Amino acid sequence: MNCDRAQAAVSERMDGERMPSRAAAAVDAHLEGCADCRAFAERASHVRTAVRIRPAERIPDLVDPIMAEVARVGRPRTLARPGRRRRPPAARPRMLAPLGAALAVGLVAGSVVVGGPWQHPDGHTSASAADVIRRVGVAARQVEAYHATFTIEERGLLPSVPERSLEAELWFATPGRYRFDVHDTTSYPTKAWTPTDLRYVEAGTAVMTKAPTGCPTILLPSECQTTRRVVRDRFAYSTEAPLVTDLVVPLDVLADPRGLTVERTGTVLGRDAVLVQMSFARAAPLFPFLQMGGTWRPFFPGDRVELWVDATDWSPLRWTVYPAEGPERADWELLFGRLPEPSDTPILDVTVTSTDHEIPPSSRFALAHAAPTVPVSELSKRVGFHPVTPTATEDLALTAAAAPRGGEGGPQSLITYSSGLTYLRVSERRHWNGAGLFGAVDEAAERVQLGNGVAYYEPAGAEQGRRLAIHTNDTNLYLESNLSRQDLLAVAASLPLNGQALPDPKSSGPLEEAGAHGRTLAGVQARTSFSFDLPDRLPDGYVVASADRSTARGVESVTLLVRRRNSDPGADPVRIHLEAADALPSTAAADPRWVPLGGLKARWSPSTGRLEWIANGVYRSIDAPGVDLRVLIGIAASIEASA
Amino acid sequence: MQDPDPRVLARAREGDLDAFEDIVRHYQADVFRFAWHLVRDRTTAEDVTQDAFIRAFRFLGSYRGDSPFSSWIMRIVRNCAMDALRRQKSQAVRHQDEQLRAGSVADPVARAELDAALRAITPQHREPFLLIEVFGLSYAEASDVLGVRVGTVKSRMHRARQALCRALADDEDTEEAR
């Protein structure tokens, strides 16, 4: 993509034009590598800010002369000439209430009016995306503790369950401790339905999720069991649990002004608030519960999300999904057998009902499997080496040190730096014999220059922050953080070592070591009682990101996550599920159909986005709402080809 | 720009003057601002504003709702502004290119720079920029107002942005060079 095309795409995106995710990824990739185009995007954003936040212009009040003329309409019109028409009273400057200290960006308080489309006579002002983003970033670093309760209202799950109501509660405490509970209060048609009750607990790098999993559309207990999954070290293993950070402060969603529209300010739940609009794909970090388990209705990536954020502490107050308009949405509805939905009726609404900043008791986050923290002074004794530490940490304070047990390659150190929601984890292993890089970084990750050495970078995903892997002859480091790419690279550049380049991954085949977790994927394969092969060829741009093995009610299963390389933070991965079985489970989807898959037949349910089949005594399913069936068949074919 | 309450619009179409006055109050700021940007003279902008609303009332019956009301009325404003500019040319009237006086001045240097940059770009590029960036119209609505294809609006909008960014970048360079 050349600069002309990239800048034109940036321009269109600023104006709310949607583009296919592949094109959007190409634009983002170009911007990451082109300083000129980044400068253009930044200046265009400043121009937007400048035209939208301007001092009030003295607008003349012309209502009287207009209405006087309108009352005489029908007669030959004569324009009132200057000096002869009735002059309106001298126009007063429009004084609008200041938004508050949070938005006083060097403007005169009490006399600032935002021009443009959102100047409302009721006294609300609006703000620029750049302001909102800056304030959110500051708030994210300052929040020490947070507690909130929510209601979740969903429409359109099934004709027999047109509306659902759930309650949720969230706790956060630094450093890096979260708990999120969802309680389903829906009245289902029968008691056999499995309610979508979820629990998520995160303490450092250990994560526990408890949720109904493998749910088809019908939430029957025989097909939708509650599974408790604990991951001791989310560094090395995928948790399949998305981050919940944005429920405290929408740091990921509001990290970048591209694709955001700051609509206006207002009052929500009695608080000054700012309304921001974006696509559903972009807003995904606000809906982590959709990927934790249970069953949820599907959403079109271009559906519109309206997010109200508290203008004082920048916590999300209310976020609502509305169906998008246009032919693409109509095609999606047709493909998934869904009835058309009016664009002005919400299909998912999350509303905060209470918040406070009291520090929760530590028992809220108790996880038996969390790696115990140790005093920093004792860490080197525990792991047998002096961990390498950055000299610049972007004002993050060292908050925890641990020596996680288990895994391959000898002792591991883990040092966490944080400030509010912003975190940086630096993990080190002196001996790493695994194929591929240490940590959740794909061998095909972007190679970046760091001082006199190199590192391998992956952008943020739904479940993990931005990642960097560094390999030297003496040690291996893995950094994970929600700092910006620029800040993360600056921190890494302050490490006292020079990373080495790995052999070109293309020469060894795209998935020879099965992607992101080399040893982890092979290890999962080795430990599973039924045999299966990893996909050896995926559609262009897709990589296997992680693998999980779990056991629930005596049934062993494996879940692989496949995603597009360099995907947007909000992009959903494709889930491949495998377990020993002789027959397909029954389905309650209203629209199943058979599709050919090599010499096999696979069942495809457009409404659930699931493709499933049996081969060699193993049940396989691919879940990917919103993904083209042809892509899924390509993935399925690559699994079968290697079987 | 938000469209008026459909019930208010329906009453205005039937000749209800109170309803039309609501519409005038709702839109007069944006109409005046757009008019001013097109004609760059306060007195002329006031005339254009009055003209546009009167014309809108006269032709309200012909508004079929096949485009947003905001783009319909902005089209009228633009036409009235073009008429006013043609009259000025034929009368050889020259107005000093003014700046709108502000109720308060936040950053007068930055404002002046942006105004100068806006004046420097061609009307062909300035109009879509104003409609889309300042008044929040979509590409389709702006194409309706300007009477050109959506693709043309996109490309002119992008050229306007590029020109403004270049102009502001030059100002920054000049600033640093001092």
Side-chain angles (χ1 to χ4, degrees), chain A residues 73 77, chain B residues 13 20 51-64 69 72 76:
Chain A
V73 74
R77 170 181 59 80
Chain B
R13 282 161 63 100
F20 188 72
D51 220 0
F53 278 116
I54 292 161
R55 203 179 286 192
F57 184 77
R58 286 177 62 194
F59 295 108
L60 205 48
S62 68
Y63 171 63
R64 289 188 301 274
F69 185 80
W72 183 77
I76 294 175

Side-chain angles (χ1 to χ4, degrees), chain A residues 293-308:
Chain A
T295 290
W296 301 90
R297 59 154 292 152
F299 297 92
F300 177 63
D303 282 342
R304 182 169 57 92
V305 173
E306 290 189 352
L307 165 66
W308 283 99

Side-chain angles (χ1 to χ4, degrees), chain A residues 394-416:
Chain A
E394 296 295 319
D395 294 331
L396 302 183
L398 194 159
T399 46
R405 289 188 286 271
E408 302 175 44
Q412 176 186 340
S413 69
L414 172 62
I415 300 177
T416 304

Side-chain angles (χ1 to χ4, degrees), chain A residues 15 48 57-58 85 117, chain B residues 33 42 46 104 133-134 139:
Chain A
D15 297 328
R48 168 165 286 187
E57 294 136 346
R58 277 204 297 271
R85 69 168 176 261
Chain B
R33 207 177 282 115
R42 190 180 185 88
E46 290 180 6
S104 72
E133 192 70 291
V134 179
Y139 285 149

Side-chain angles (χ1 to χ4, degrees), chain A residues 7 11 15 17 43 48 52 54-58 61-62 69 73 77 82 85 107 111 116-117 119, chain B residues 17 28 33 42-43 46-47 50-51 54 58 102-104 106 115 133-134 139 154 158 161-162 168-169:
Chain A
Q7 291 184 15
S11 206
D15 297 328
E17 288 288 283
R43 280 203 191 99
R48 168 165 286 187
R52 288 189 180 188
R54 299 167 66 91
E57 294 136 346
R58 277 204 297 271
D61 186 354
L62 299 170
E69 189 63 30
V73 74
R77 170 181 59 80
R85 69 168 176 261
L107 300 171
S111 62
Q119 188 173 22
Chain B
L17 293 187
Q28 73 163 336
R33 207 177 282 115
R42 190 180 185 88
T43 306
E46 290 180 6
D47 286 346
Q50 293 187 62
D51 220 0
I54 292 161
R58 286 177 62 194
S104 72
D115 281 343
E133 192 70 291
V134 179
Y139 285 149
K154 276 189 202 181
H158 176 51
R161 248 192 201 116
Q162 280 186 320
L168 293 177

Side-chain angles (χ1 to χ4, degrees), chain B:
Chain B
M1 293 173 78
Q2 289 185 336
D3 273 7
D5 185 324
R7 289 165 294 187
V8 170
L9 188 55
R11 291 205 319 267
R13 282 161 63 100
E14 287 162 14
D16 183 333
L17 293 187
D18 286 341
F20 188 72
E21 185 171 331
D22 280 350
I23 290 174
V24 172
R25 291 189 186 282
H26 185 88
Y27 282 102
Q28 73 163 336
D30 285 333
V31 165
F32 175 81
R33 207 177 282 115
F34 187 43
W36 181 82
H37 276 291
L38 293 175
V39 302
R40 308 299 294 193
D41 173 73
R42 190 180 185 88
T43 306
T44 310
E46 290 180 6
D47 286 346
V48 166
T49 300
Q50 293 187 62
D51 220 0
F53 278 116
I54 292 161
R55 203 179 286 192
F57 184 77
R58 286 177 62 194
F59 295 108
L60 205 48
S62 68
Y63 171 63
R64 289 188 301 274
D66 48 0
S67 62
F69 185 80
S70 51
S71 46
W72 183 77
I73 199 163
M74 290 306 230
R75 194 163 63 234
I76 294 175
V77 175
R78 183 176 181 267
N79 291 339
C80 291
M82 296 302 113
D83 290 345
L85 287 171
R86 275 192 288 272
R87 278 196 299 273
Q88 283 182 352
K89 267 193 186 160
S90 70
Q91 292 167 12
V93 172
R94 280 181 175 62
H95 292 276
Q96 250 185 341
D97 200 354
E98 322 178 331
Q99 287 185 354
L100 272 179
R101 294 254 175 81
S104 72
V105 174
D107 182 346
V109 172
R111 277 197 65 232
E113 282 172 358
L114 184 59
D115 281 343
L118 270 171
R119 277 199 303 280
I121 63 176
T122 66
Q124 206 180 49
H125 294 144
R126 186 165 59 237
E127 284 176 16
F129 179 82
L130 290 171
L131 288 170
I132 292 166
E133 192 70 291
V134 179
F135 296 102
L137 267 62
S138 66
Y139 285 149
E141 289 164 358
S143 98
D144 219 15
V145 173
L146 300 171
V148 298
R149 289 178 319 175
V150 168
T152 306
V153 168
K154 276 189 202 181
S155 126
R156 288 182 184 176
M157 178 64 185
H158 176 51
R159 296 279 168 256
R161 248 192 201 116
Q162 280 186 320
L164 287 169
C165 288
R166 256 196 312 271
L168 293 177
D170 288 344
D171 285 339
E172 283 166 14
D173 291 341
T174 307
E175 194 69 40
E176 285 170 11
R178 286 202 196 119

